[in-house]
Amino acid sequence: MKTMPLAAAMALALAVLPVSAVRGNEASTPPDAATVSRLIDDTTKDSKAQAHAVEAMVGMGKAAVPALVPHLGDGRPLAERSIILPNRPGHIHDRQFQPWTVHDAVVVLLREIAPQGPAIGSHNLHTVDPGQRAQVKRKWVNWCVGQFPAQADTCRS
């Protein structure tokens, strides 16, 4: 019987774990809304700040949803029209998205950390008109309130 090198065994073990277990992205307490707001602001500064902010918000996990939802509808342009998220178990490549605005980036983040959230239509986010953006926000607010009743006011803010 052949034995697998330790590095290969570790890589295989990590590949079958859920992303949250690998990255630790399930926060035990909800992140502070002011912290999320600062990170959202960072997505509009420069590409390095944007990448750091996206990584930090994904790392917050599903607990960040109530603090992220209020940023839907924010039409400010992103510093860079690209977000790269790490691969998921079973995939070999990182995933790249081309959001143009904060709203678009928040949708990408919400889909990443709460994939069971509401279905919202187009994956080509930057072509969504203002009426559709408002509808997306309403769907996420309603879902957020249902999932996080203790944070309903944050979801609605």
Side-chain angles (χ1 to χ4, degrees), residues 4 7 12 20 29 37 40 72 74 80 90 101 104 109 119 121 125 140 148:
M4 188 180 300
L12 179 60
S20 62
T29 59
S37 290
I40 290 291
L72 290 167
D74 186 335
E80 185 172 323
T101 66
D104 301 339
L109 292 169
L125 301 169
W140 274 102
F148 302 90

Side-chain angles (χ1 to χ4, degrees), residues 15-40:
V16 297
L17 288 173
V19 173
S20 62
V22 175
R23 291 195 317 238
N25 75 347
E26 292 302 321
S28 57
T29 59
D32 179 75
T35 300
V36 172
S37 290
R38 281 191 299 277
L39 291 168
I40 290 291

Side-chain angles (χ1 to χ4, degrees), residues 80-144:
E80 185 172 323
R81 291 181 176 179
S82 177
I83 290 178
I84 297 174
L85 297 175
N87 64 349
R88 290 183 174 168
H91 296 88
I92 59 171
H93 298 290
D94 291 342
R95 293 160 295 130
Q96 184 171 8
F97 302 89
Q98 284 88 30
W100 288 7
T101 66
V102 169
H103 169 90
D104 301 339
V106 170
V107 169
V108 168
L109 292 169
L110 288 170
R111 286 179 174 174
E112 176 70 10
I113 63 176
Q116 68 281 13
I120 57 170
S122 176
H123 290 284
N124 192 6
L125 301 169
H126 55 270
T127 61
V128 179
D129 70 39
Q132 289 172 314
R133 287 177 191 256
Q135 183 179 23
V136 166
K137 183 170 184 169
R138 279 192 303 276
K139 286 182 178 184
W140 274 102
V141 167
N142 290 337
W143 185 84
C144 182

